[in-house]
Amino acid sequence: MRLPTDLCLLCKTANASKTNSHILPKFLSSKLFGLKSSKRGFEVSGTDIIGKSKLIQDSPKEDHILCPDCESFFGVLESISCTTFQNWKTKVANGDFHLHKFANVFSILNYTSENKPAIRLFVYSIFWRASISTLSLFQNINIESSILEDLRFSLL
């Protein structure tokens, strides 16, 4: 268990005093939990028995992985990226984004954005956060240490 006096896993200079850091950005998971007045979901795994799933009301969070400044930086990336990810279907319909489908198996979305570097960093941050998390939900996300360090360096 990490402590508030441990170093931030991103900058490695300040204390990781921030609590409740989202591993997956809240805006990406908010629709999974329904309306604010009744938001809730269920944590399901391959070992759960139907009806025994854990009730959850927010996306996964972890304490003492980031300092407040690094958490704020991720918040900026999330704010910049939010409209791109939330409105992609409308933007495809309007012709702003182009969706290329391949054999009805997968699709690639080409997007236009004023801030492609910020969106790229946002995506990097999701992979980085999932890989450094100790939560059981992310236990199978393993990124080679040299690549993980490259992600961290890119985010800085």
Side-chain angles (χ1 to χ4, degrees):
M1 175 167 216
R2 291 188 48 86
L3 302 171
T5 54
D6 291 341
L7 288 181
C8 171
L9 294 174
L10 183 60
C11 70
K12 297 193 181 225
T13 58
N15 288 342
S17 58
K18 181 69 179 83
T19 58
N20 293 320
S21 293
H22 283 93
I23 304 301
L24 299 176
K26 191 171 185 169
F27 81 84
L28 288 178
S29 62
S30 60
K31 290 191 178 189
L32 296 174
F33 295 107
L35 302 171
K36 270 192 167 181
S37 60
S38 64
K39 71 176 195 170
R40 68 180 191 168
F42 296 94
E43 184 176 310
V44 179
S45 74
T47 59
D48 284 338
I49 300 171
I50 294 176
K52 300 281 184 180
S53 300
K54 179 181 174 187
L55 180 66
I56 54 175
Q57 295 182 320
D58 201 354
S59 63
K61 295 183 268 190
E62 200 160 344
D63 293 338
H64 311 303
I65 59 172
L66 296 171
C67 67
D69 287 343
C70 288
E71 176 82 15
S72 293
F73 170 65
F74 283 163
V76 169
L77 294 178
E78 291 169 14
S79 295
I80 292 169
S81 304
C82 183
T83 56
T84 297
F85 287 94
Q86 286 187 328
N87 299 322
W88 71 270
K89 289 180 183 177
T90 302
K91 291 181 179 192
V92 167
N94 293 340
D96 296 332
F97 290 3
H98 302 284
L99 190 64
H100 304 280
K101 295 185 178 195
F102 297 90
N104 291 325
V105 177
F106 68 93
S107 301
I108 295 177
L109 179 68
N110 287 336
Y111 69 93
T112 53
S113 170
E114 296 174 11
N115 204 330
K116 284 187 177 188
I119 293 174
R120 183 179 319 123
L121 290 174
F122 169 73
V123 172
Y124 289 177
S125 78
I126 294 171
F127 284 107
W128 183 82
R129 286 182 268 187
S131 68
I132 58 97
S133 176
T134 60
L135 299 174
S136 62
L137 179 63
F138 303 105
Q139 70 185 1
N140 293 321
I141 310 254
N142 300 309
I143 297 176
E144 183 180 311
S145 60
S146 64
I147 295 171
L148 191 61
E149 187 61 14
D150 286 345
L151 281 174
R152 187 183 77 79
F153 184 74
S154 294
L155 289 166
L156 289 174

